[in-house]
Amino acid sequence: MHGKSEDRDDYQLVPRPVAAMARDLPDGHHIPPHHHRRAQLIYGTSGAVTVATDQGTWVVPATRAVWVPAGTTHAMTCAGAVRMRTLYIEPAAAPPLPTGPLVVSVPPLLRELIEEATRLPISYELDGRDGRLMDLLLLELEPHPVAALHLPTPTDPALLALCTAIRTDPGARWTADSAAAHAHLSVRSLHRRFAAATGVPLAHWVRQARLITAMALLARDTPVTTVAAHLGYATPSAFAAMFRRALGHAPSTYYRTDAADRPA
């Protein structure tokens, strides 16, 4: 787009602190696991983006982005049509963000700076307006971590198999007893090992898995009644109440709400 390459490799060695790329991606588009020498900010101005690493899975709507440190292997999947705007940042120029992936807010000023950055030539002029714009972008990219739809990934094989099963069928009735039976553990051992491995209780992990699935379905304009049934809720209102508590908006209006009005 904007007459620029859409090959991420073309943005890694350019002698500039920031390189910005724009791509419009269709629903279901998947980018397999890869890594690159620059840090990356993955941001979609529409739809929802799911980013997966060995450390976990994150899903972000248009008010948020995922920060991926340099050298981190990650994959990405689109839900709905995604207008992806990516920043590739030299590690030495990167803001003081944590060494692992995290979700950051994208307030209106940063959003506009990212959009404008994608229109600049890859080898933009360091002096003058373009260089100052990129300097301001880096200043605005200060760490503002936000609560994320995040699924930490356990390394324990039994727990990993359980988490994979939950992601595959989040609408199943994942009680402590059924989850323990799936993992071939006692309920007490499951609770202890799951919390130690993921940092969250099993019930929280299941709820996050359902929210992540819901976000992807809603981004594809799936009716709320269909989403609620798919996730095992007895009524759409029960699902809507859970969604509103977690994200601050009703599921029926979440993707119709202007991005600036959504919770950051």
Side-chain angles (χ1 to χ4, degrees), residues 73-100:
T73 299
H74 58 286
M76 195 195 90
T77 303
C78 299
V82 171
R83 296 191 297 272
M84 191 177 80
R85 307 296 181 253
T86 298
L87 302 180
Y88 295 105
I89 301 173
E90 274 293 322
L97 288 164
T99 56

Side-chain angles (χ1 to χ4, degrees), residues 22-40:
R23 295 180 69 189
D24 287 350
L25 303 175
D27 177 34
H29 184 83
H30 178 70
I31 299 175
H34 65 283
H35 64 274
H36 26 72
R37 61 173 299 276
R38 288 190 174 218
Q40 182 179 9

